[in-house]
Amino acid sequence: MPLTIWVDEWQMQCCGENFASGGLVSWSLMEADPEDYVDIVGEERAAELDFCEEHHGQEEQGPTSLEVLSIAEVHCRYAMPPGSVDKMHGPVPGTTVLIPVDRATGWTKAQPDVRFAGYLVTARRVVDPSEGAVARGR
């Protein structure tokens, strides 16, 4: 069964490892709260999220072996919410731009009027890491 996983741009840029469609990864996952992602990816996409990838000690379990099936860069606009007094910028709902890519490095080509936020990754659990290679015909 495919899983949908959020990968924050800052986590990738800080200490993430590049990954590609068809490749194997070993990630620490935390259950995702879709409400945390509605403004970034929209209500429909947020409802599909199963997990977020975590590097900084808040993981709920040990690493999970996964085969990456697809990757999409997520870009959106950021602005101060109306009535905000803390001057913090947040994602502007309805401004999401998804760009399918074959590889994730944490760095992307600049897009007009939006900022890179992270990746939506579709993956499947792999019990035996050699299983992913067999599935790809290697």
Side-chain angles (χ1 to χ4, degrees):
M1 176 172 92
L3 303 172
T4 302
I5 302 164
W6 173 257
V7 179
D8 283 306
E9 53 79 29
W10 70 268
Q11 294 238 27
M12 277 293 293
Q13 292 170 357
C14 169
C15 50
E17 294 183 20
N18 297 353
F19 60 95
S21 292
L24 297 178
V25 295
S26 181
W27 285 346
S28 294
L29 303 175
M30 285 181 42
E31 198 167 315
D33 180 353
E35 287 300 312
D36 292 342
Y37 301 93
V38 168
D39 290 349
I40 298 172
V41 298
E43 200 166 323
E44 187 177 319
R45 291 275 185 175
E48 297 171 357
L49 280 172
D50 299 299
F51 297 98
C52 58
E53 189 263 349
E54 175 61 49
H55 283 113
H56 295 93
Q58 298 178 23
E59 53 275 345
E60 295 174 352
Q61 58 194 19
T64 301
S65 293
L66 302 159
E67 179 183 13
V68 176
L69 304 174
S70 67
I71 307 165
E73 293 176 358
V74 178
H75 301 258
C76 65
R77 271 194 23 230
Y78 284 80
M80 279 195 325
S84 174
V85 292
D86 61 9
K87 300 190 189 234
M88 294 288 294
H89 285 80
V92 176
T95 63
T96 303
V97 175
L98 297 175
I99 301 172
V101 295
D102 293 326
R103 178 174 250 359
T105 65
W107 305 96
T108 65
K109 181 179 175 186
Q111 301 297 317
D113 301 320
V114 291
R115 198 172 93 201
F116 177 50
Y119 297 101
L120 278 177
V121 177
T122 304
R124 71 174 185 90
R125 291 181 196 268
V126 177
V127 177
D128 175 4
S130 66
E131 179 182 324
V134 170
R136 290 189 310 275
R138 293 188 180 147

